[in-house]
Amino acid sequence: MSPRSASVNEELRRRSRERFLQAAVELVSERGYEATTLGDIADRAGSARGLVSYYFPGKRQLVQSAVHRLMHRTLEEALEREPRTGDGRERMARAVDAILGLARDRTVLMRQHMAGLLQAEGFVQCPEQRRLAELLRDTVARHGSRDVDTDYPMLRSLLMGAVYAMVLPNVGMPLAPLRAELFARYRLDWGQGLPPDTEAPGGTRDTDFSRFFATGRPAPDRPRTADEPRPATRRKPRDQPPEPADEPKAVDQSK
């Protein structure tokens, strides 16, 4: 058998990483951060437990990257949904609604994410975080900013503050007044974006995360349709390529 090309190995590594990210989002949403171990995530992803440490130095970094991935793809989906628009105010409204919608619909996950940001590591400078930052910076620029380097951190801080306010246990604020404050600051009309009393295209409150992660694997709690592949398991079927040959066997980390 001839060795796989570098491009094939790269694609396999990308898929493996995406499976870990999706599994992390699913499990933290279901169980919370403390009750989720790296071993649990590897099992849900259908990979060897030690392999997760090849991609991520620890659970905190993995979960933060996974949530940044979800935030990036949710924001991207909101900005590109039909009818597409280049109007800067509409795009800002969609961005605000996308992030506030995550806090409303994924409260446990976003609460755990915000708590993690207060740890010593702070922001993880991962590809997922950089893509999210690029989308937000572009949104600020299209809104008309003359100083994106100043206005982007302000938008990020305002959104983070709103999310914190929404996910605080027992005293969380509702979405509407926070949205009103942000819309007033950025001179947006209430009917722009996705007002709270409307449903997002395709729905956002289900438990299917698969469309945000390019793994080819449906979420485990969603019935599999006839044309979808079976979820990955610890024992790989014969027609599924193995993990890349140049991935080392990492030490098992259960927490």
Side-chain angles (χ1 to χ4, degrees):
M1 178 184 293
S2 59
R4 292 192 298 270
S5 67
S7 61
V8 170
N9 278 332
E10 181 62 28
E11 175 63 15
L12 290 172
R13 284 192 291 270
R14 185 190 65 79
R15 291 183 184 180
S16 292
R17 194 173 189 279
E18 291 274 318
R19 286 198 300 272
F20 287 131
L21 294 172
Q22 181 177 344
V25 164
E26 291 171 356
L27 288 170
V28 173
S29 296
E30 295 167 12
R31 307 176 185 178
Y33 178 82
E34 295 299 335
T36 300
T37 68
L38 286 176
D40 296 333
I41 293 170
D43 286 344
R44 176 66 65 89
S47 296
R49 296 193 179 199
L51 187 60
V52 66
S53 62
Y54 174 75
Y55 296 99
F56 304 96
K59 184 172 75 169
R60 180 70 65 189
Q61 291 85 350
L62 167 55
V63 172
Q64 195 175 135
S65 293
V67 178
H68 280 143
R69 169 68 165 177
L70 178 63
M71 293 173 70
H72 164 250
R73 290 300 305 275
T74 300
L75 178 57
E76 184 178 58
E77 188 176 82
L79 295 175
E80 296 304 318
R81 75 169 186 264
E82 298 294 340
R84 294 190 179 186
T85 179
D87 179 76
R89 295 174 70 245
E90 171 63 21
R91 291 178 70 84
M92 178 65 77
R94 292 186 184 189
V96 170
D97 285 340
I99 302 303
L100 296 187
L102 279 174
R104 177 194 61 197
D105 301 335
R106 317 288 189 193
T107 303
V108 172
L109 180 67
M110 296 304 291
R111 181 183 297 146
Q112 301 294 333
H113 176 63
M114 290 298 173
L117 295 180
L118 295 177
Q119 303 301 311
E121 299 91 342
F123 268 116
V124 173
Q125 297 299 317
C126 60
E128 289 74 27
Q129 191 275 329
R130 288 192 292 271
R131 293 187 188 107
L132 174 61
E134 288 169 2
L135 271 184
L136 286 175
R137 286 179 65 90
D138 179 69
T139 298
V140 169
R142 294 190 186 210
H143 186 256
S145 171
R146 297 181 180 180
D147 185 359
V148 175
D149 289 338
T150 298
D151 293 338
Y152 157 66
M154 179 58 69
L155 173 62
R156 182 185 64 196
S157 298
L158 290 169
L159 290 174
M160 288 176 65
V163 171
Y164 269 116
M166 290 181 67
V167 302
L168 279 173
N170 304 321
V171 292
M173 286 188 65
L175 183 151
L178 292 167
R179 184 182 195 263
E181 284 292 321
L182 288 167
F183 270 44
R185 177 182 180 88
Y186 290 104
R187 305 180 304 281
L188 308 175
D189 298 329
W190 187 258
Q192 292 181 300
L194 191 70
D197 57 348
T198 61
E199 184 67 25
T204 60
R205 302 190 186 191
D206 57 37
T207 57
D208 180 9
F209 292 98
S210 61
R211 74 180 188 277
F212 299 110
F213 299 89
T215 62
R217 178 173 67 85
D221 52 1
R222 178 170 61 85
R224 182 173 60 87
T225 60
D227 59 345
E228 286 179 330
R230 293 183 178 278
T233 59
R234 295 294 302 279
R235 177 177 294 177
K236 294 180 172 59
R238 292 181 179 178
D239 59 347
Q240 181 176 341
E243 300 289 350
D246 57 350
E247 287 182 350
K249 294 182 178 180
V251 178
D252 184 12
Q253 298 180 7
S254 60
K255 289 187 179 180

